[in-house]
Amino acid sequence: MGELPPQVQNLAAQLQQVQQQLQLILTQKAQLESLIKEAKDALEELEKSDSDHAFKAVGNVLVKLKKDEVEKDLKEKIETYEVRKNMLERQENKLRERLADLQAKLKSAINVQAG
Amino acid sequence: MGELPPQVQNLAAQLQQVQQQLQLILTQKAQLESLIKEAKDALEELEKSDSDHAFKAVGNVLVKLKKDEVEKDLKEKIETYEVRKNMLERQENKLRERLADLQAKLKSAINVQAG
Amino acid sequence: MGELPPQVQNLAAQLQQVQQQLQLILTQKAQLESLIKEAKDALEELEKSDSDHAFKAVGNVLVKLKKDEVEKDLKEKIETYEVRKNMLERQENKLRERLADLQAKLKSAINVQAG
Amino acid sequence: MGELPPQVQNLAAQLQQVQQQLQLILTQKAQLESLIKEAKDALEELEKSDSDHAFKAVGNVLVKLKKDEVEKDLKEKIETYEVRKNMLERQENKLRERLADLQAKLKSAINVQAG
């Protein structure tokens, strides 16, 4: 087989680009999931605490805050992360559809070529 | 000497693969040992403490917990790590046996070749 | 087009060097801005605290200090960072001027060459 | 000039090796100096504290300890680091002497060669 025809090359290039975009989205989603897990773990530990205070680390300073306040902060954080995660998942789904579409087109282009 | 015979090449490839698997196991084992050491160090420090409370950091939140609870947590963690470490050590031993076996086979294949 | 004339090569080399210096300045400025933000965030959290103490982490040691003292420390830190940031911005402006100057010279040198 | 004579090549190789060893020592020394500085900073902050307790972080557990105990720990750490640093400095001095010696030998070997 000689050089690939321009149409096939073009589809393969698009496919690769979509795969890279998808990879980036999946990495960002994994980071958000890890932040959500961490915030939920913190809430779980706070429930076990018999103190009405907890500390929050900001840089190298640890600030004593009311437990309620820390819990409210964590819940807001989780909400923000969930919103961002949902946005990423919508993008992920669109990219997966586009990927399937490009793979089908590439397959049929290769079949035409080989037929 | 020309090209290596297929059998020798094949044994050498297997040997390399087993060495890589063993390297991975040893890295994971070292990580677990470091986590076990850290948890044991924390237990040791807790014994020196005259307070009946300690803090646990989860992300940037520090939660005040009863010392007993923190100690229980650490002991459970150590147990889990030890179980995983034992599993890795069983895999390590199997890989070391397989390595010795492959080295012996490779040696005798080279001797036949040279003889 | 054959080799670039020495004058053009020389201007291009200077341009690249100035761009690298500018990049370094911008990186250092971004680091300072992140430290300033962190210190301001800590001050903001301290304001929410109902305790007259806070902790400062130095290595793995957490020291209990009067809130006033921690706030004073943070304000001094911010001031120092702002001074350094201003110095960097003056350097940044000089480099941007030099960059524009070199770009103009390079452009006119290329035009003479092409004309 | 053709190939370098074996003696010059050999001296150059030794020189490079000594430079790499020296670089390693200097990196380790800088790490120790940074640890010493951190421990001294912690001692300094502890002096400012009006509390008779401080916390020590071990992994994600923060243990409440008597300030005296934490100070004793830090002073012992500093001593250990200083001993290691002195050992490294003795090695550094030997390597610097060896470096000067090799540089002189290399210079005279090159002069003989060129003369």
Side-chain angles (χ1 to χ4, degrees), chain B residues 51-82:
Chain B
S51 168
D52 53 354
H53 281 87
F55 282 83
K56 192 168 157 181
V58 188
N60 68 336
V61 176
L62 311 180
V63 184
K64 189 174 185 175
L65 296 168
K66 283 195 191 115
K67 198 165 88 166
D68 300 356
E69 229 169 323
V70 177
E71 285 174 338
K72 207 178 132 239
D73 261 32
L74 285 168
K75 281 172 191 164
E76 282 172 12
K77 250 192 191 176
I78 292 173
E79 241 174 88
T80 311
Y81 293 150
E82 296 280 12

Side-chain angles (χ1 to χ4, degrees), chain B residues 9-46:
Chain B
Q9 282 186 35
N10 184 278
L11 284 166
Q14 282 182 57
L15 195 75
Q16 202 189 5
Q17 208 190 340
V18 171
Q19 279 170 332
Q20 284 168 358
Q21 287 169 350
L22 183 60
Q23 197 47 58
L24 187 66
I25 298 284
L26 293 176
T27 304
Q28 291 173 336
K29 195 176 127 183
Q31 284 167 346
L32 278 173
E33 279 167 350
S34 144
L35 288 168
I36 291 167
K37 196 195 167 302
E38 199 175 73
K40 287 186 175 171
D41 285 352
L43 279 175
E44 218 174 285
E45 291 295 338
L46 283 169

Side-chain angles (χ1 to χ4, degrees), chain C residues 6-42:
Chain C
Q7 195 210 350
V8 172
Q9 283 186 34
N10 184 278
L11 284 167
Q14 282 181 56
L15 196 74
Q16 202 189 6
Q17 209 190 340
V18 171
Q19 279 169 333
Q20 284 169 357
Q21 287 169 349
L22 183 59
Q23 197 46 58
L24 187 68
I25 298 283
L26 292 177
T27 303
Q28 290 172 336
K29 195 177 127 183
Q31 285 168 346
L32 277 174
E33 279 167 350
S34 143
L35 288 167
I36 291 167
K37 195 194 168 304
E38 199 175 74
K40 287 185 176 173
D41 285 352

Side-chain angles (χ1 to χ4, degrees), chain C residues 53 55-66 69 73, chain D residues 38 41-42 45-46 48-50 54-57 62 70 77:
Chain C
H53 282 86
F55 282 84
K56 193 168 159 181
V58 189
N60 67 337
V61 177
L62 310 179
V63 184
K64 189 174 186 175
L65 296 168
K66 286 198 189 112
E69 228 168 326
D73 260 31
Chain D
E38 199 176 73
D41 284 353
E45 291 294 338
L46 283 169
K48 295 183 205 161
S49 174
D50 58 356
F55 282 84
K56 192 167 157 182
L62 310 180
V70 177
K77 250 192 190 176

